[in-house]
Amino acid sequence: MPDLTKTSTTEETAAAQDEVVAGSAVSAPASTGKPRSLWGDAWRELRRNPLFVISAILILILLLVAAFPGLFTGTNPDTGDQVNHFLGKPELTHFFQADWFGYDRTGRSIYARVVHGAGNSILVGVGVTVLVTFFGGLCGMLAGYFGGFWDSLISRLIDVFFGIPFLLGAMVVLNAFTDRTVWVVMGALAFLGWTQIARVMRGAVITTKHADYVMAARALGAGTKRILFRHILPNAVAPVIVVATISLGTYIVAESTLSYLGLGLGDGAISWGGDISDATQDIRNNPHTLFFPAGMLSITVLAFIMMGDAVREALDPKLR
């Protein structure tokens, strides 16, 4: 007679590990049906949050402007008519017209430069955020999970980079390049900005790796790769996403600050920071030259900070 108490060990292990995958990311059922994950609950909270809806609409519009500036203006942002348009005042004749924001002292359309400048500023912010999240998250995950030598090495490296002032270090790095393209600026900011993400990920991994579902997966024979990417990473990445979303606006400000100081994007590249720098000499009698690029920069940074706050509230049950 077959022994009904014995089953396939392989099948039991795989099934048990799949049950453990959810870990702390599984919440109680809403009413009936299958349970929702942490991300499902977070998305449900985000859709109800006016702060997230407003910031998401603003960011979508900004991304559309950055990706397709030709849809919003047909004016060349580098061509100016200094004779007829020298410091011309804003005139609201029709939407998306060259004179909507006025003209600068070289006769260039401020509106066209604001539209075309969104691409470089947002590209730098998004690119740096992706780089620091990937590299800093990887270093933090390795340090937090393995500990020992790797934790000491990466932690000391983080301390060294934390001791370097961010903007000052970026100025020194960028000063070594004669051709400061968007990719050079992105690399310089990412080179100095990965440490915060690494620290956040390290702390989250250290907390998560001692959870019951991770210990159970390890006891069932799950390998290091499976534990890291199936169990630890999905449950430790939430604070990293929050920090990355808020930091994106910081990197946009950093690029604009460097361009304002003349150490950001090189000649020929349109940047809100560069336009703000050019407008400072006319701020007393022609404040519109400064108001519009500075206003767009402020709206962009505010939108990403608002989204970061909304994501933090949705992913942290204590703040609900």
Side-chain angles (χ1 to χ4, degrees):
M1 181 175 180
D3 188 355
L4 299 179
T5 62
K6 294 183 179 180
T7 58
S8 173
T9 304
T10 304
E11 293 179 357
E12 281 188 356
T13 302
Q17 289 178 359
D18 288 338
E19 289 294 331
V20 173
V21 166
S24 64
V26 176
S27 61
S31 55
T32 59
K34 61 182 181 180
R36 293 193 307 265
S37 66
L38 170 66
W39 304 105
D41 284 340
W43 175 240
R44 189 164 173 261
E45 292 294 328
L46 286 173
R47 287 182 298 176
R48 297 178 175 179
N49 191 340
L51 196 67
F52 172 78
V53 175
I54 294 172
S55 62
I57 293 174
L58 286 175
I59 291 173
L60 286 177
I61 294 174
L62 290 168
L63 291 177
L64 186 63
V65 171
F68 306 102
L71 295 177
F72 297 88
T73 180
T75 305
N76 190 332
D78 296 318
T79 302
D81 185 356
Q82 195 169 12
V83 176
N84 298 317
H85 294 148
F86 177 77
L87 294 176
K89 302 295 184 180
E91 296 181 8
L92 186 57
T93 55
H94 298 87
F95 284 104
F96 305 151
Q97 295 298 313
D99 57 356
W100 195 16
F101 291 173
Y103 298 87
D104 61 11
R105 62 174 36 251
T106 60
R108 299 175 300 186
S109 170
I110 296 176
Y111 171 72
R113 294 189 64 81
V114 166
V115 170
H116 285 270
N120 289 330
S121 296
I122 294 178
L123 178 61
V124 170
V126 173
V128 174
T129 302
V130 171
L131 290 175
V132 300
T133 301
F134 176 78
F135 183 72
L138 181 61
C139 291
M141 186 167 61
L142 294 177
Y145 182 78
F146 291 104
F149 169 78
W150 290 108
D151 188 16
S152 299
L153 176 64
I154 295 176
S155 296
R156 299 295 76 77
L157 189 63
I158 292 173
D159 292 339
V160 169
F161 276 86
F162 253 116
I164 303 174
F166 183 67
L167 282 178
L168 179 61
M171 291 168 61
V172 172
V173 173
L174 290 173
N175 197 40
F177 294 89
T178 55
D179 186 17
R180 294 186 293 273
T181 63
V182 171
W183 308 107
V184 172
V185 175
M186 284 171 51
L189 295 178
F191 177 71
L192 297 167
W194 62 276
T195 52
Q196 184 181 16
I197 295 291
R199 277 192 170 181
V200 172
M201 177 62 86
R202 175 182 175 273
V205 170
I206 289 176
T207 302
T208 307
K209 74 176 184 179
H210 296 298
D212 293 338
Y213 56 91
V214 176
M215 303 296 290
R218 187 180 292 113
L220 290 169
T224 300
K225 182 179 178 180
R226 183 182 180 88
I227 291 175
L228 280 174
F229 293 100
R230 289 290 303 276
H231 300 266
I232 291 181
L233 183 60
N235 294 287
V237 76
V240 174
I241 293 176
V242 173
V243 174
T245 306
I246 297 177
S247 298
L248 198 155
T250 304
Y251 296 131
I252 294 177
V253 172
E255 180 276 323
S256 298
T257 303
L258 292 170
S259 297
Y260 176 86
L261 297 173
L263 292 171
L265 299 177
D267 295 335
I270 303 174
S271 171
W272 290 336
D275 288 348
I276 292 173
S277 178
D278 295 339
T280 52
Q281 56 187 324
D282 302 312
I283 185 175
R284 183 182 294 269
N285 297 321
N286 298 277
H288 69 277
T289 58
L290 175 65
F291 175 77
F292 291 107
M296 286 298 297
L297 176 61
S298 301
I299 291 173
T300 303
V301 174
L302 179 62
F304 283 106
I305 291 178
M306 287 168 56
M307 175 166 282
D309 287 340
V311 172
R312 179 174 58 88
E313 292 178 3
L315 292 177
D316 190 350
K318 297 178 182 177
L319 298 177
R320 294 178 186 174

